[in-house]
Amino acid sequence: MEWLRRAPLDEAAERSTPLPVLRLKHLLNVLQRHEPHRLAVGALLARFWREVDTVALFADFGFSPRMNFFGELGQRLRLRLLPITPETQDLGELFALFFPSERDAQWLAAIDDDTLARLVEALGPVFAQGREWREPLIDGIAYPAAAVRASGHSAALRQRISAELLADDPFRQLASAAERLGERARAGENAALLQEAQYLRALLDACRRAAASVRTHLEAYGVSVDIVFEVDQLHARCDRIEALLNTLLAPQPGRELLRLIAELAQQAQARRGIRSLFARHYSLLARKVAERSAATGEHYITRNRSEYGQM
């Protein structure tokens, strides 16, 4: 990975194919021509695939472990200031080591269909030695669905969601539908799987609409930064579920999986940014101050840090 990533993209600006992709093609050529190298690399990857927690990447990566602004801030500071250890089985943690550059998503998205097909062919026997390749995707759908259900049923959101959108309780149904979809996928019931997938997509849309209604309440009663942050996380988890569902159902899942990995590489860079998080936080805070000032006639002028803290 280090050899692929260190290919300078600037020098290859005029190339139709990024240099990391050319290096990947060269690597595949070497493995194809030299059986001992192919077996050694295959054995290494097979062991890695068996021992690593793949679900952590699909289900947890990119989401804050705490549903509040300061929890996310602490997580981003840790990622920015402290080195990431490779001594872990969490693929979500290792992923940030594999793709630490903001340019990684560019060359991942530039991998052509022929190279992707060769890569899938080379990795196929590796995955066959471990768990069934769809199992991490199935669990990656079920776990965020459970998190969406918990978030939608939290007191802070439940009290602010429009009552008519909660009448059928789409959050509870979402988790159950995700479990049924996993059962159909494991049983190889393709027709039933497609039906469950269609129902799951409808529930995702219902959950998004319900979560969006929270903002209507905030416009009327003021902005809560933590609530808006939790709604954003809920929407992001719904998007992740849909991306995993697309990969699970795709006739040729390699392209969808590559697209998902490129998106995760972008998220890995975004989560290192502190400025973007503060920019959103202070824009919400400014709205909160303006709304309270308009509603109560209070003014927000401070002359020292003590008065600022009291405000």
Side-chain angles (χ1 to χ4, degrees), residues 154-260:
S154 65
L157 265 62
R158 189 178 66 251
Q159 295 172 359
R160 291 168 170 81
I161 294 176
S162 299
E164 61 273 14
L165 296 176
L166 277 180
D168 295 329
D169 200 352
F171 297 106
R172 185 184 303 277
Q173 294 188 61
L174 182 71
S176 301
E179 292 292 341
R180 290 196 304 272
L181 181 136
E183 294 172 0
R184 300 294 183 268
R186 294 185 181 99
E189 301 173 1
N190 293 332
L193 175 62
L194 293 176
Q195 292 180 354
E196 291 293 347
Q198 185 176 4
Y199 183 54
L200 185 62
R201 293 184 196 277
L203 289 174
L204 287 172
D205 290 339
C207 290
R208 290 188 182 103
R209 290 194 300 271
S213 70
V214 172
R215 297 181 182 273
T216 304
H217 175 92
L218 295 178
E219 293 292 340
Y221 299 102
V223 175
S224 169
V225 173
D226 286 340
I227 291 176
V228 172
F229 179 80
E230 186 169 357
V231 170
D232 288 343
Q233 292 279 288
L234 190 153
H235 278 285
R237 282 190 166 91
C238 288
D239 293 341
R240 177 70 57 81
I241 292 171
E242 189 144 22
L244 291 169
L245 188 59
N246 292 338
T247 305
L248 182 66
L249 299 178
Q252 300 294 331
R255 176 57 61 183
E256 289 294 335
L257 183 58
L258 182 62
R259 183 179 293 109
L260 175 60

Side-chain angles (χ1 to χ4, degrees), residues 16 18 25 35 42 48 81-82 103 113 122 142 147 155 165 183 185 222 232 247 260 309-310:
S16 59
K25 292 182 178 182
E35 185 70 10
F48 176 81
L81 300 177
L82 299 179
R103 297 181 176 181
D113 291 339
L165 296 176
E183 294 172 0
D232 288 343
T247 305
L260 175 60
Q310 293 176 0

